[in-house]
Amino acid sequence: MSNPNKNKFVILLVLTAGLILPIFLPAFIMMALAKYMPNEITHSGIMSLFILSFVLFIIAGIFSKILGLIGLNGQKLDELGFLGLIISVLSSFFSIIVGYYWMKTFHLTSVELSSIGILIIAVITTFVLTALTRMLEKL
């Protein structure tokens, strides 16, 4: 027999991750990779990483709103199947890259990422968030 408390714990863990990770996942990835990739990721402090991550989350929301305005809301993306998944993944990927370069251009962040660094962070973040989204849909 399955333990119902264990199932509730897993569901609670996934839901908590669903609330925290979309906002702070890039910061966690940058903190983890900064010691392995010191030439690609430099920052003045952990708070600058969290602020950058929060702004990237806002920019991703703006990208989602723009997709919704042109008729590609969440329901339509689900109806498109694999094509909708590709559009969603590319939107997430480009929102991270565009958001970082927008902030860097206007000198709104002290985090310095190389081209390789931002690509690695964007790819890892996109894959983790896509997997998390799929897990949340199955609950």
Side-chain angles (χ1 to χ4, degrees):
M1 261 213 203
S2 173
N3 186 356
N5 289 335
K6 185 177 180 183
N7 291 339
K8 288 180 183 179
F9 176 74
V10 171
I11 290 172
L12 184 64
L13 183 68
V14 171
L15 289 176
T16 304
L19 292 173
I20 294 171
L21 282 182
I23 299 172
F24 298 117
L25 182 63
F28 294 143
I29 293 171
M30 285 184 261
M31 284 187 324
L33 293 178
K35 63 180 169 180
Y36 299 112
M37 301 170 39
N39 296 332
E40 281 83 15
I41 302 170
T42 57
H43 56 88
S44 61
I46 293 177
M47 195 63 181
S48 63
L49 295 176
F50 284 113
I51 291 171
L52 173 64
S53 186
F54 184 72
V55 173
L56 290 177
F57 176 74
I58 292 171
I59 292 171
I62 292 169
F63 267 58
S64 296
K65 187 65 174 173
I66 291 170
L67 283 176
L69 290 175
I70 61 173
L72 292 174
N73 56 11
Q75 181 182 7
K76 183 67 174 178
L77 290 175
D78 289 341
E79 291 173 4
L80 290 174
F82 184 70
L83 180 62
L85 175 67
I86 296 298
I87 292 170
S88 176
V89 166
L90 287 176
S91 172
S92 175
F93 179 76
F94 287 128
S95 70
I96 293 170
I97 293 175
V98 169
Y100 171 72
Y101 282 115
W102 174 76
M103 289 189 63
K104 183 179 173 184
T105 301
F106 292 113
H107 304 288
L108 298 174
T109 184
S110 63
V111 179
E112 291 291 326
L113 299 171
S114 69
S115 298
I116 298 296
I118 189 63
L119 286 175
I120 290 171
I121 290 166
V123 167
I124 294 172
T125 302
T126 301
F127 282 134
V128 170
L129 290 180
T130 302
L132 180 64
T133 302
R134 297 298 171 201
M135 285 175 38
L136 287 172
E137 286 176 356
K138 290 183 179 182
L139 287 180

